[in-house]
Amino acid sequence: MSPDLTFLLILALRMAVAAAFVVSASIIAERSGPVIGALVATLPISAGPSYVFLALDHDAAFIAEGALASLPVNAATLFLALTYVLLAQRHGLLLSLVSALAVWFLLAAVLRALDLSLVGGLIANVLAFAICVPLMQRYCHVKMPLITRRWYDIPFRASLVAVLVAAVVTLSGRVGPAITGILALFPVVFTSLMLILHPRIGGPATAAVIANGGWGLMGFGIAIAVLHVAALCFGSTIGLSVALATCIGWNLALWWNGRRKAGR
């Protein structure tokens, strides 16, 4: 088998695995309401597979540098969420989504140009969290209407994730770890949820899912910082494992705290 054919087959497998992972998680999000849906959506169901596949091709230093570049981009995702949540209350999908993505690309470019350190990336996340989460809080509690699934939902979501994984894997060897880290954190899960849910259940209900993701994104940012440090100290395998455990543990703590408050 030629090297080119081998590469294409492995790439197709990686795209299929990542797409299946994200589609399964997004279906769970739709059926469980905005709070649980947001906790599922903020798990590393898109960035995680991308980083795992990158770790198969690159050393720990590459993964650590990519995570460092990804960290401030997570702050940009918080502002993407805020932009969409505010606009979706009164506007349609096109304006809300395009505006949110424009904010994300602009902030990601600015933060990339700043070349922030680990401390700088953490500060960017804290500031974004302090600004965005309080502003989104009032839009978190909306009753989810019954969702009718359409034939193209799953293929569409799978295609989004597959394209992202393909871009990250094929471009990583050419653009370096910094740009790869940004590509790995493109908000494909939030984007797919907006594209699929907004036309069916309306802007406010879709915005509730996104708004509830603010706390989850904060934990995701912490997990990225953990990945950077752990990959440098212990290698890619341990770094990815500890980062995943951090993200899952954070979201489980959020779920438990929500249950505890609801039981009072």
mmCIF file of all heavy atoms in Angstrom, residues 127-179:
data_model
loop_
_atom_site.group_PDB
_atom_site.id
_atom_site.type_symbol
_atom_site.label_atom_id
_atom_site.label_comp_id
_atom_site.label_asym_id
_atom_site.label_seq_id
_atom_site.Cartn_x
_atom_site.Cartn_y
_atom_site.Cartn_z
ATOM 1 N N LEU A 127 -10.458 36.842 33.058
ATOM 2 C CA LEU A 127 -11.125 38.084 32.677
ATOM 3 C C LEU A 127 -12.345 37.810 31.797
ATOM 4 O O LEU A 127 -13.412 38.417 31.995
ATOM 5 C CB LEU A 127 -10.142 38.995 31.936
ATOM 6 C CG LEU A 127 -9.014 39.603 32.775
ATOM 7 C CD1 LEU A 127 -8.051 40.390 31.892
ATOM 8 C CD2 LEU A 127 -9.587 40.512 33.871
ATOM 9 N N ALA A 128 -12.191 36.900 30.847
ATOM 10 C CA ALA A 128 -13.323 36.560 29.985
ATOM 11 C C ALA A 128 -14.454 35.941 30.790
ATOM 12 O O ALA A 128 -15.640 36.252 30.572
ATOM 13 C CB ALA A 128 -12.868 35.590 28.889
ATOM 14 N N PHE A 129 -14.112 35.071 31.717
ATOM 15 C CA PHE A 129 -15.112 34.451 32.574
ATOM 16 C C PHE A 129 -15.840 35.493 33.415
ATOM 17 O O PHE A 129 -17.074 35.483 33.518
ATOM 18 C CB PHE A 129 -14.424 33.429 33.476
ATOM 19 C CG PHE A 129 -15.349 32.732 34.429
ATOM 20 C CD1 PHE A 129 -16.107 31.652 34.011
ATOM 21 C CD2 PHE A 129 -15.456 33.144 35.741
ATOM 22 C CE1 PHE A 129 -16.962 30.996 34.888
ATOM 23 C CE2 PHE A 129 -16.303 32.504 36.628
ATOM 24 C CZ PHE A 129 -17.059 31.418 36.203
ATOM 25 N N ALA A 130 -15.085 36.423 34.012
ATOM 26 C CA ALA A 130 -15.675 37.449 34.878
ATOM 27 C C ALA A 130 -16.617 38.369 34.106
ATOM 28 O O ALA A 130 -17.608 38.866 34.656
ATOM 29 C CB ALA A 130 -14.569 38.268 35.540
ATOM 30 N N ILE A 131 -16.348 38.585 32.824
ATOM 31 C CA ILE A 131 -17.193 39.467 32.011
ATOM 32 C C ILE A 131 -18.396 38.715 31.453
ATOM 33 O O ILE A 131 -19.540 39.175 31.540
ATOM 34 C CB ILE A 131 -16.370 40.068 30.856
ATOM 35 C CG1 ILE A 131 -15.289 41.012 31.406
ATOM 36 C CG2 ILE A 131 -17.283 40.824 29.879
ATOM 37 C CD1 ILE A 131 -14.292 41.477 30.352
ATOM 38 N N CYS A 132 -18.143 37.535 30.883
ATOM 39 C CA CYS A 132 -19.174 36.856 30.089
ATOM 40 C C CYS A 132 -20.195 36.090 30.918
ATOM 41 O O CYS A 132 -21.406 36.152 30.635
ATOM 42 C CB CYS A 132 -18.509 35.900 29.100
ATOM 43 S SG CYS A 132 -17.460 36.717 27.876
ATOM 44 N N VAL A 133 -19.754 35.356 31.921
ATOM 45 C CA VAL A 133 -20.678 34.494 32.666
ATOM 46 C C VAL A 133 -21.770 35.294 33.379
ATOM 47 O O VAL A 133 -22.952 34.936 33.294
ATOM 48 C CB VAL A 133 -19.909 33.592 33.641
ATOM 49 C CG1 VAL A 133 -20.865 32.859 34.583
ATOM 50 C CG2 VAL A 133 -19.078 32.584 32.855
ATOM 51 N N PRO A 134 -21.445 36.383 34.094
ATOM 52 C CA PRO A 134 -22.535 37.148 34.717
ATOM 53 C C PRO A 134 -23.532 37.708 33.705
ATOM 54 O O PRO A 134 -24.734 37.751 33.975
ATOM 55 C CB PRO A 134 -21.795 38.280 35.449
ATOM 56 C CG PRO A 134 -20.422 37.732 35.699
ATOM 57 C CD PRO A 134 -20.122 36.899 34.498
ATOM 58 N N LEU A 135 -23.050 38.118 32.527
ATOM 59 C CA LEU A 135 -23.945 38.662 31.514
ATOM 60 C C LEU A 135 -24.837 37.596 30.892
ATOM 61 O O LEU A 135 -25.950 37.887 30.435
ATOM 62 C CB LEU A 135 -23.129 39.361 30.423
ATOM 63 C CG LEU A 135 -22.399 40.643 30.840
ATOM 64 C CD1 LEU A 135 -21.527 41.161 29.703
ATOM 65 C CD2 LEU A 135 -23.394 41.715 31.276
ATOM 66 N N MET A 136 -24.371 36.336 30.870
ATOM 67 C CA MET A 136 -25.169 35.253 30.301
ATOM 68 C C MET A 136 -26.106 34.606 31.312
ATOM 69 O O MET A 136 -26.992 33.841 30.934
ATOM 70 C CB MET A 136 -24.250 34.175 29.710
ATOM 71 C CG MET A 136 -23.465 34.614 28.496
ATOM 72 S SD MET A 136 -22.631 33.228 27.636
ATOM 73 C CE MET A 136 -21.422 32.744 28.871
ATOM 74 N N GLN A 137 -25.926 34.899 32.587
ATOM 75 C CA GLN A 137 -26.633 34.179 33.633
ATOM 76 C C GLN A 137 -28.154 34.271 33.512
ATOM 77 O O GLN A 137 -28.869 33.296 33.726
ATOM 78 C CB GLN A 137 -26.184 34.700 35.005
ATOM 79 C CG GLN A 137 -26.521 33.786 36.159
ATOM 80 C CD GLN A 137 -25.773 32.461 36.090
ATOM 81 O OE1 GLN A 137 -24.634 32.408 35.655
ATOM 82 N NE2 GLN A 137 -26.428 31.392 36.495
ATOM 83 N N ARG A 138 -28.660 35.423 33.153
ATOM 84 C CA ARG A 138 -30.110 35.623 33.090
ATOM 85 C C ARG A 138 -30.764 34.846 31.947
ATOM 86 O O ARG A 138 -31.990 34.707 31.910
ATOM 87 C CB ARG A 138 -30.435 37.106 32.941
ATOM 88 C CG ARG A 138 -29.854 37.748 31.703
ATOM 89 C CD ARG A 138 -30.296 39.187 31.549
ATOM 90 N NE ARG A 138 -31.732 39.285 31.306
ATOM 91 C CZ ARG A 138 -32.328 40.409 30.917
ATOM 92 N NH1 ARG A 138 -31.616 41.520 30.767
ATOM 93 N NH2 ARG A 138 -33.619 40.423 30.698
ATOM 94 N N TYR A 139 -29.964 34.343 31.021
ATOM 95 C CA TYR A 139 -30.511 33.623 29.866
ATOM 96 C C TYR A 139 -30.364 32.107 29.989
ATOM 97 O O TYR A 139 -30.606 31.383 29.026
ATOM 98 C CB TYR A 139 -29.801 34.085 28.589
ATOM 99 C CG TYR A 139 -29.878 35.574 28.368
ATOM 100 C CD1 TYR A 139 -28.762 36.388 28.555
ATOM 101 C CD2 TYR A 139 -31.075 36.186 27.986
ATOM 102 C CE1 TYR A 139 -28.829 37.763 28.350
ATOM 103 C CE2 TYR A 139 -31.151 37.554 27.777
ATOM 104 C CZ TYR A 139 -30.022 38.340 27.972
ATOM 105 O OH TYR A 139 -30.096 39.693 27.782
ATOM 106 N N CYS A 140 -29.984 31.627 31.166
ATOM 107 C CA CYS A 140 -29.684 30.207 31.339
ATOM 108 C C CYS A 140 -30.923 29.336 31.511
ATOM 109 O O CYS A 140 -30.890 28.137 31.226
ATOM 110 C CB CYS A 140 -28.776 30.009 32.560
ATOM 111 S SG CYS A 140 -27.065 30.555 32.300
ATOM 112 N N HIS A 141 -32.013 29.899 31.996
ATOM 113 C CA HIS A 141 -33.154 29.083 32.400
ATOM 114 C C HIS A 141 -34.310 29.253 31.411
ATOM 115 O O HIS A 141 -35.137 30.147 31.544
ATOM 116 C CB HIS A 141 -33.582 29.459 33.819
ATOM 117 C CG HIS A 141 -32.456 29.390 34.809
ATOM 118 N ND1 HIS A 141 -31.894 28.195 35.206
ATOM 119 C CD2 HIS A 141 -31.767 30.372 35.452
ATOM 120 C CE1 HIS A 141 -30.923 28.443 36.064
ATOM 121 N NE2 HIS A 141 -30.822 29.746 36.224
ATOM 122 N N VAL A 142 -34.351 28.381 30.430
ATOM 123 C CA VAL A 142 -35.402 28.362 29.418
ATOM 124 C C VAL A 142 -35.866 26.918 29.250
ATOM 125 O O VAL A 142 -35.037 26.000 29.175
ATOM 126 C CB VAL A 142 -34.901 28.913 28.061
ATOM 127 C CG1 VAL A 142 -35.972 28.767 26.983
ATOM 128 C CG2 VAL A 142 -34.493 30.371 28.207
ATOM 129 N N LYS A 143 -37.167 26.700 29.184
ATOM 130 C CA LYS A 143 -37.700 25.362 29.007
ATOM 131 C C LYS A 143 -37.420 24.883 27.590
ATOM 132 O O LYS A 143 -37.715 25.574 26.621
ATOM 133 C CB LYS A 143 -39.200 25.336 29.278
ATOM 134 C CG LYS A 143 -39.802 23.938 29.223
ATOM 135 C CD LYS A 143 -41.277 23.972 29.568
ATOM 136 C CE LYS A 143 -41.864 22.560 29.502
ATOM 137 N NZ LYS A 143 -43.317 22.551 29.840
ATOM 138 N N MET A 144 -36.854 23.695 27.480
ATOM 139 C CA MET A 144 -36.521 23.144 26.168
ATOM 140 C C MET A 144 -37.762 22.558 25.508
ATOM 141 O O MET A 144 -38.425 21.686 26.076
ATOM 142 C CB MET A 144 -35.459 22.051 26.309
ATOM 143 C CG MET A 144 -34.108 22.574 26.767
ATOM 144 S SD MET A 144 -33.233 23.504 25.482
ATOM 145 C CE MET A 144 -32.737 22.179 24.405
ATOM 146 N N PRO A 145 -38.120 23.014 24.308
ATOM 147 C CA PRO A 145 -39.256 22.417 23.601
ATOM 148 C C PRO A 145 -38.897 21.051 23.045
ATOM 149 O O PRO A 145 -37.722 20.659 23.004
ATOM 150 C CB PRO A 145 -39.522 23.419 22.470
ATOM 151 C CG PRO A 145 -38.197 24.069 22.238
ATOM 152 C CD PRO A 145 -37.510 24.126 23.572
ATOM 153 N N LEU A 146 -39.889 20.316 22.628
ATOM 154 C CA LEU A 146 -39.672 19.004 22.037
ATOM 155 C C LEU A 146 -38.903 19.153 20.726
ATOM 156 O O LEU A 146 -39.237 19.972 19.879
ATOM 157 C CB LEU A 146 -41.015 18.311 21.776
ATOM 158 C CG LEU A 146 -40.946 16.903 21.179
ATOM 159 C CD1 LEU A 146 -40.276 15.940 22.150
ATOM 160 C CD2 LEU A 146 -42.343 16.416 20.812
ATOM 161 N N ILE A 147 -37.868 18.354 20.572
ATOM 162 C CA ILE A 147 -37.010 18.436 19.399
ATOM 163 C C ILE A 147 -37.379 17.334 18.413
ATOM 164 O O ILE A 147 -37.430 16.161 18.771
ATOM 165 C CB ILE A 147 -35.525 18.308 19.783
ATOM 166 C CG1 ILE A 147 -35.118 19.470 20.703
ATOM 167 C CG2 ILE A 147 -34.638 18.282 18.546
ATOM 168 C CD1 ILE A 147 -33.723 19.335 21.253
ATOM 169 N N THR A 148 -37.641 17.710 17.184
ATOM 170 C CA THR A 148 -37.908 16.754 16.125
ATOM 171 C C THR A 148 -36.661 16.611 15.263
ATOM 172 O O THR A 148 -36.210 17.572 14.644
ATOM 173 C CB THR A 148 -39.086 17.219 15.246
ATOM 174 O OG1 THR A 148 -40.245 17.394 16.078
ATOM 175 C CG2 THR A 148 -39.383 16.197 14.171
ATOM 176 N N ARG A 149 -36.119 15.425 15.249
ATOM 177 C CA ARG A 149 -34.886 15.208 14.514
ATOM 178 C C ARG A 149 -35.128 15.111 13.012
ATOM 179 O O ARG A 149 -36.113 14.527 12.573
ATOM 180 C CB ARG A 149 -34.218 13.923 15.015
ATOM 181 C CG ARG A 149 -32.730 13.870 14.690
ATOM 182 C CD ARG A 149 -32.107 12.657 15.340
ATOM 183 N NE ARG A 149 -32.384 12.617 16.762
ATOM 184 C CZ ARG A 149 -31.752 13.355 17.658
ATOM 185 N NH1 ARG A 149 -30.823 14.196 17.262
ATOM 186 N NH2 ARG A 149 -32.053 13.266 18.927
ATOM 187 N N ARG A 150 -34.245 15.693 12.222
ATOM 188 C CA ARG A 150 -34.337 15.658 10.770
ATOM 189 C C ARG A 150 -33.259 14.741 10.202
ATOM 190 O O ARG A 150 -32.236 14.506 10.839
ATOM 191 C CB ARG A 150 -34.204 17.069 10.202
ATOM 192 C CG ARG A 150 -35.369 17.981 10.633
ATOM 193 C CD ARG A 150 -35.132 19.405 10.247
ATOM 194 N NE ARG A 150 -36.243 20.269 10.674
ATOM 195 C CZ ARG A 150 -36.219 21.590 10.624
ATOM 196 N NH1 ARG A 150 -35.156 22.220 10.168
ATOM 197 N NH2 ARG A 150 -37.260 22.295 11.024
ATOM 198 N N TRP A 151 -33.479 14.291 8.978
ATOM 199 C CA TRP A 151 -32.605 13.269 8.422
ATOM 200 C C TRP A 151 -31.160 13.729 8.270
ATOM 201 O O TRP A 151 -30.224 12.936 8.346
ATOM 202 C CB TRP A 151 -33.138 12.833 7.057
ATOM 203 C CG TRP A 151 -33.062 13.902 5.998
ATOM 204 C CD1 TRP A 151 -34.018 14.810 5.686
ATOM 205 C CD2 TRP A 151 -31.959 14.174 5.127
ATOM 206 N NE1 TRP A 151 -33.591 15.634 4.685
ATOM 207 C CE2 TRP A 151 -32.327 15.257 4.312
ATOM 208 C CE3 TRP A 151 -30.699 13.600 4.958
ATOM 209 C CZ2 TRP A 151 -31.480 15.783 3.360
ATOM 210 C CZ3 TRP A 151 -29.846 14.129 4.004
ATOM 211 C CH2 TRP A 151 -30.235 15.204 3.208
ATOM 212 N N TYR A 152 -30.959 15.042 8.068
ATOM 213 C CA TYR A 152 -29.606 15.521 7.806
ATOM 214 C C TYR A 152 -28.852 15.931 9.064
ATOM 215 O O TYR A 152 -27.684 16.320 8.986
ATOM 216 C CB TYR A 152 -29.651 16.715 6.846
ATOM 217 C CG TYR A 152 -30.501 17.874 7.328
ATOM 218 C CD1 TYR A 152 -30.032 18.769 8.270
ATOM 219 C CD2 TYR A 152 -31.783 18.062 6.821
ATOM 220 C CE1 TYR A 152 -30.807 19.834 8.702
ATOM 221 C CE2 TYR A 152 -32.564 19.115 7.246
ATOM 222 C CZ TYR A 152 -32.077 20.004 8.192
ATOM 223 O OH TYR A 152 -32.857 21.044 8.623
ATOM 224 N N ASP A 153 -29.481 15.871 10.253
ATOM 225 C CA ASP A 153 -28.835 16.342 11.474
ATOM 226 C C ASP A 153 -27.507 15.636 11.743
ATOM 227 O O ASP A 153 -26.465 16.269 11.932
ATOM 228 C CB ASP A 153 -29.769 16.143 12.679
ATOM 229 C CG ASP A 153 -30.918 17.131 12.672
ATOM 230 O OD1 ASP A 153 -30.915 18.019 11.802
ATOM 231 O OD2 ASP A 153 -31.805 17.017 13.530
ATOM 232 N N ILE A 154 -27.560 14.310 11.806
ATOM 233 C CA ILE A 154 -26.361 13.559 12.160
ATOM 234 C C ILE A 154 -25.283 13.670 11.081
ATOM 235 O O ILE A 154 -24.115 13.940 11.402
ATOM 236 C CB ILE A 154 -26.714 12.090 12.457
ATOM 237 C CG1 ILE A 154 -27.533 12.018 13.759
ATOM 238 C CG2 ILE A 154 -25.449 11.235 12.568
ATOM 239 C CD1 ILE A 154 -27.975 10.630 14.135
ATOM 240 N N PRO A 155 -25.612 13.514 9.780
ATOM 241 C CA PRO A 155 -24.561 13.710 8.764
ATOM 242 C C PRO A 155 -23.939 15.110 8.802
ATOM 243 O O PRO A 155 -22.733 15.261 8.607
ATOM 244 C CB PRO A 155 -25.296 13.471 7.443
ATOM 245 C CG PRO A 155 -26.438 12.595 7.800
ATOM 246 C CD PRO A 155 -26.868 13.031 9.165
ATOM 247 N N PHE A 156 -24.780 16.137 9.076
ATOM 248 C CA PHE A 156 -24.259 17.502 9.107
ATOM 249 C C PHE A 156 -23.263 17.671 10.251
ATOM 250 O O PHE A 156 -22.175 18.213 10.081
ATOM 251 C CB PHE A 156 -25.415 18.486 9.253
ATOM 252 C CG PHE A 156 -24.977 19.922 9.331
ATOM 253 C CD1 PHE A 156 -24.544 20.590 8.199
ATOM 254 C CD2 PHE A 156 -24.981 20.598 10.537
ATOM 255 C CE1 PHE A 156 -24.129 21.908 8.264
ATOM 256 C CE2 PHE A 156 -24.571 21.911 10.616
ATOM 257 C CZ PHE A 156 -24.139 22.566 9.472
ATOM 258 N N ARG A 157 -23.647 17.229 11.443
ATOM 259 C CA ARG A 157 -22.754 17.353 12.595
ATOM 260 C C ARG A 157 -21.477 16.555 12.376
ATOM 261 O O ARG A 157 -20.375 17.024 12.698
ATOM 262 C CB ARG A 157 -23.463 16.867 13.855
ATOM 263 C CG ARG A 157 -24.578 17.772 14.316
ATOM 264 C CD ARG A 157 -25.160 17.244 15.602
ATOM 265 N NE ARG A 157 -26.614 17.188 15.507
ATOM 266 C CZ ARG A 157 -27.398 16.925 16.522
ATOM 267 N NH1 ARG A 157 -26.899 16.671 17.701
ATOM 268 N NH2 ARG A 157 -28.705 16.899 16.374
ATOM 269 N N ALA A 158 -21.635 15.351 11.870
ATOM 270 C CA ALA A 158 -20.461 14.513 11.620
ATOM 271 C C ALA A 158 -19.519 15.183 10.628
ATOM 272 O O ALA A 158 -18.292 15.131 10.792
ATOM 273 C CB ALA A 158 -20.905 13.150 11.107
ATOM 274 N N SER A 159 -20.074 15.828 9.622
ATOM 275 C CA SER A 159 -19.247 16.498 8.616
ATOM 276 C C SER A 159 -18.461 17.649 9.224
ATOM 277 O O SER A 159 -17.271 17.840 8.906
ATOM 278 C CB SER A 159 -20.119 17.013 7.472
ATOM 279 O OG SER A 159 -20.786 15.949 6.829
ATOM 280 N N LEU A 160 -19.101 18.419 10.097
ATOM 281 C CA LEU A 160 -18.412 19.538 10.739
ATOM 282 C C LEU A 160 -17.185 19.062 11.500
ATOM 283 O O LEU A 160 -16.085 19.611 11.365
ATOM 284 C CB LEU A 160 -19.362 20.264 11.706
ATOM 285 C CG LEU A 160 -20.312 21.308 11.141
ATOM 286 C CD1 LEU A 160 -21.207 21.838 12.251
ATOM 287 C CD2 LEU A 160 -19.547 22.457 10.506
ATOM 288 N N VAL A 161 -17.371 18.050 12.323
ATOM 289 C CA VAL A 161 -16.273 17.553 13.135
ATOM 290 C C VAL A 161 -15.203 16.898 12.269
ATOM 291 O O VAL A 161 -14.003 17.090 12.487
ATOM 292 C CB VAL A 161 -16.794 16.545 14.183
ATOM 293 C CG1 VAL A 161 -15.661 16.062 15.061
ATOM 294 C CG2 VAL A 161 -17.878 17.187 15.027
ATOM 295 N N ALA A 162 -15.617 16.142 11.275
ATOM 296 C CA ALA A 162 -14.659 15.473 10.407
ATOM 297 C C ALA A 162 -13.772 16.466 9.669
ATOM 298 O O ALA A 162 -12.561 16.267 9.545
ATOM 299 C CB ALA A 162 -15.400 14.587 9.409
ATOM 300 N N VAL A 163 -14.367 17.552 9.201
ATOM 301 C CA VAL A 163 -13.587 18.576 8.500
ATOM 302 C C VAL A 163 -12.579 19.223 9.442
ATOM 303 O O VAL A 163 -11.416 19.467 9.069
ATOM 304 C CB VAL A 163 -14.526 19.640 7.889
ATOM 305 C CG1 VAL A 163 -13.725 20.849 7.415
ATOM 306 C CG2 VAL A 163 -15.307 19.050 6.721
ATOM 307 N N LEU A 164 -12.996 19.495 10.680
ATOM 308 C CA LEU A 164 -12.078 20.103 11.647
ATOM 309 C C LEU A 164 -10.902 19.173 11.933
ATOM 310 O O LEU A 164 -9.739 19.599 11.927
ATOM 311 C CB LEU A 164 -12.817 20.415 12.948
ATOM 312 C CG LEU A 164 -11.928 20.923 14.087
ATOM 313 C CD1 LEU A 164 -11.311 22.263 13.725
ATOM 314 C CD2 LEU A 164 -12.710 21.033 15.383
ATOM 315 N N VAL A 165 -11.189 17.906 12.196
ATOM 316 C CA VAL A 165 -10.115 16.954 12.483
ATOM 317 C C VAL A 165 -9.167 16.847 11.292
ATOM 318 O O VAL A 165 -7.941 16.833 11.450
ATOM 319 C CB VAL A 165 -10.704 15.577 12.840
ATOM 320 C CG1 VAL A 165 -9.601 14.531 12.933
ATOM 321 C CG2 VAL A 165 -11.462 15.653 14.156
ATOM 322 N N ALA A 166 -9.720 16.780 10.090
ATOM 323 C CA ALA A 166 -8.885 16.700 8.898
ATOM 324 C C ALA A 166 -7.989 17.921 8.771
ATOM 325 O O ALA A 166 -6.793 17.805 8.450
ATOM 326 C CB ALA A 166 -9.764 16.552 7.656
ATOM 327 N N ALA A 167 -8.550 19.102 9.047
ATOM 328 C CA ALA A 167 -7.762 20.333 8.950
ATOM 329 C C ALA A 167 -6.633 20.344 9.965
ATOM 330 O O ALA A 167 -5.483 20.697 9.648
ATOM 331 C CB ALA A 167 -8.670 21.547 9.144
ATOM 332 N N VAL A 168 -6.947 19.965 11.204
ATOM 333 C CA VAL A 168 -5.933 19.988 12.260
ATOM 334 C C VAL A 168 -4.811 18.998 11.960
ATOM 335 O O VAL A 168 -3.623 19.323 12.057
ATOM 336 C CB VAL A 168 -6.581 19.675 13.630
ATOM 337 C CG1 VAL A 168 -5.502 19.493 14.698
ATOM 338 C CG2 VAL A 168 -7.512 20.808 14.031
ATOM 339 N N VAL A 169 -5.178 17.775 11.582
ATOM 340 C CA VAL A 169 -4.174 16.735 11.365
ATOM 341 C C VAL A 169 -3.295 17.052 10.153
ATOM 342 O O VAL A 169 -2.072 16.922 10.201
ATOM 343 C CB VAL A 169 -4.853 15.365 11.198
ATOM 344 C CG1 VAL A 169 -3.832 14.312 10.780
ATOM 345 C CG2 VAL A 169 -5.528 14.947 12.501
ATOM 346 N N THR A 170 -3.900 17.478 9.059
ATOM 347 C CA THR A 170 -3.128 17.705 7.830
ATOM 348 C C THR A 170 -2.318 19.000 7.874
ATOM 349 O O THR A 170 -1.240 19.077 7.278
ATOM 350 C CB THR A 170 -4.054 17.735 6.601
ATOM 351 O OG1 THR A 170 -5.073 18.727 6.794
ATOM 352 C CG2 THR A 170 -4.713 16.391 6.402
ATOM 353 N N LEU A 171 -2.818 19.984 8.583
ATOM 354 C CA LEU A 171 -2.114 21.261 8.632
ATOM 355 C C LEU A 171 -1.058 21.331 9.727
ATOM 356 O O LEU A 171 -0.170 22.180 9.685
ATOM 357 C CB LEU A 171 -3.111 22.416 8.833
ATOM 358 C CG LEU A 171 -4.037 22.724 7.659
ATOM 359 C CD1 LEU A 171 -5.018 23.830 8.051
ATOM 360 C CD2 LEU A 171 -3.249 23.148 6.428
ATOM 361 N N SER A 172 -1.153 20.448 10.724
ATOM 362 C CA SER A 172 -0.282 20.570 11.894
ATOM 363 C C SER A 172 1.194 20.484 11.542
ATOM 364 O O SER A 172 2.031 21.144 12.154
ATOM 365 C CB SER A 172 -0.635 19.492 12.922
ATOM 366 O OG SER A 172 -0.429 18.198 12.388
ATOM 367 N N GLY A 173 1.520 19.665 10.545
ATOM 368 C CA GLY A 173 2.916 19.538 10.167
ATOM 369 C C GLY A 173 3.436 20.727 9.390
ATOM 370 O O GLY A 173 4.647 20.882 9.237
ATOM 371 N N ARG A 174 2.539 21.585 8.920
ATOM 372 C CA ARG A 174 2.938 22.717 8.089
ATOM 373 C C ARG A 174 2.886 24.057 8.824
ATOM 374 O O ARG A 174 3.664 24.946 8.531
ATOM 375 C CB ARG A 174 2.045 22.796 6.849
ATOM 376 C CG ARG A 174 2.090 21.537 5.985
ATOM 377 C CD ARG A 174 1.154 21.664 4.794
ATOM 378 N NE ARG A 174 1.164 20.456 3.961
ATOM 379 C CZ ARG A 174 0.444 20.305 2.872
ATOM 380 N NH1 ARG A 174 -0.358 21.286 2.463
ATOM 381 N NH2 ARG A 174 0.507 19.186 2.182
ATOM 382 N N VAL A 175 1.940 24.200 9.741
ATOM 383 C CA VAL A 175 1.740 25.506 10.371
ATOM 384 C C VAL A 175 2.337 25.584 11.761
ATOM 385 O O VAL A 175 2.382 26.659 12.342
ATOM 386 C CB VAL A 175 0.235 25.845 10.442
ATOM 387 C CG1 VAL A 175 -0.363 25.895 9.062
ATOM 388 C CG2 VAL A 175 -0.517 24.835 11.313
ATOM 389 N N GLY A 176 2.782 24.473 12.323
ATOM 390 C CA GLY A 176 3.402 24.510 13.637
ATOM 391 C C GLY A 176 2.400 24.365 14.756
ATOM 392 O O GLY A 176 1.185 24.404 14.564
ATOM 393 N N PRO A 177 2.899 24.213 15.996
ATOM 394 C CA PRO A 177 2.027 23.948 17.137
ATOM 395 C C PRO A 177 1.114 25.100 17.517
ATOM 396 O O PRO A 177 0.013 24.879 18.023
ATOM 397 C CB PRO A 177 3.013 23.635 18.268
ATOM 398 C CG PRO A 177 4.300 24.268 17.847
ATOM 399 C CD PRO A 177 4.326 24.168 16.361
ATOM 400 N N ALA A 178 1.531 26.341 17.312
ATOM 401 C CA ALA A 178 0.711 27.477 17.742
ATOM 402 C C ALA A 178 -0.594 27.552 16.962
ATOM 403 O O ALA A 178 -1.688 27.618 17.534
ATOM 404 C CB ALA A 178 1.498 28.786 17.601
ATOM 405 N N ILE A 179 -0.493 27.545 15.617
ATOM 406 C CA ILE A 179 -1.697 27.588 14.787
ATOM 407 C C ILE A 179 -2.518 26.316 14.973
ATOM 408 O O ILE A 179 -3.758 26.351 14.979
ATOM 409 C CB ILE A 179 -1.331 27.778 13.307
ATOM 410 C CG1 ILE A 179 -0.553 29.091 13.123
ATOM 411 C CG2 ILE A 179 -2.587 27.805 12.446
ATOM 412 C CD1 ILE A 179 -1.317 30.330 13.536
#
